[in-house]
Amino acid sequence: MSIAQLVRPQGVIAHLKVASKKQALQDLSARAARLTGHPERQIFDILIERERLGTTGVGQGIAIPHGKLPGLDRLHGLFARLDNPIDFEAIDDQPVDLIFLLLAPENAGADHLKALARVSRLLRDREMCEKLRASEEDEAIYALLIEQGQNEHV
């Protein structure tokens, strides 16, 4: 699965205005609910449950919240660039301004782990993150994600 199959254009938010980790997860859960057809509360609860196990703030201003959702048909990704960085309890204690939300079917197994690894590789690229942070439009961010992900598959 490529990044283009994982993230759809309507799953990219160039200007997410949130003030906290909880608010970011709530907003992204609402957007994911519209894209997946699953209840917002169910998505939010799964993300919060995962955060309780340990932060998904992986450092360098990046968070990759994720979870497995019963009844989901395929992997779904959403990407958000925050207008203002927020405390995400990241492993390096730095505020987060780039969030890649990943939802997987309950039985995804290795596909879920491969997708997490792919997203992690994508966002470890400092030059890529600089371009994402500099982009002001949803379409520009989507184009960057797709361009970068063309040669690799999840």
Side-chain angles (χ1 to χ4, degrees):
M1 176 177 270
S2 69
I3 290 289
Q5 292 168 307
L6 190 61
V7 179
R8 304 291 163 97
Q10 59 271 34
V12 174
I13 307 112
H15 293 281
L16 187 63
K17 294 171 176 53
V18 293
S20 68
K21 177 179 182 174
K22 182 180 178 183
Q23 190 180 11
L25 293 176
Q26 285 173 324
D27 192 299
L28 291 171
S29 294
R31 292 169 190 265
R34 289 192 293 274
L35 291 176
T36 64
H38 282 69
E40 176 182 339
R41 185 66 198 194
Q42 181 186 29
I43 296 168
F44 178 73
D45 288 347
I46 283 170
L47 295 175
I48 288 295
E49 184 179 312
R50 172 57 189 85
E51 289 298 320
R52 284 190 188 115
L53 296 175
T55 184
T56 58
V58 296
Q60 299 179 17
I62 298 160
I64 310 174
H66 58 276
K68 291 185 177 181
L69 201 58
L72 200 62
D73 59 338
R74 64 175 186 83
L75 289 161
H76 288 269
L78 284 89
F79 180 84
R81 185 182 72 77
L82 280 57
D83 277 352
N84 297 300
I86 58 169
D87 178 17
F88 212 89
E89 302 166 346
I91 58 172
D92 63 357
D93 293 321
Q94 295 301 306
V96 162
D97 64 343
L98 299 177
I99 300 177
F100 197 113
L101 171 69
L102 183 64
L103 295 173
E106 198 169 39
N107 60 354
D111 288 341
H112 180 220
L113 297 176
K114 287 178 187 175
L116 278 171
R118 174 67 189 100
V119 169
S120 179
R121 275 194 310 275
L122 178 75
L123 297 176
R124 267 199 314 258
D125 181 333
R126 286 182 191 264
E127 186 178 325
M128 174 64 164
C129 288
E130 287 173 16
K131 289 177 183 177
L132 291 168
R133 287 182 171 111
S135 297
E136 293 289 327
E137 302 295 327
D138 297 353
E139 297 81 11
I141 290 174
Y142 181 73
L144 280 170
L145 292 170
I146 299 314
E147 176 187 323
Q148 190 72 15
Q150 276 182 339
N151 298 328
E152 285 193 53
H153 292 280
V154 179

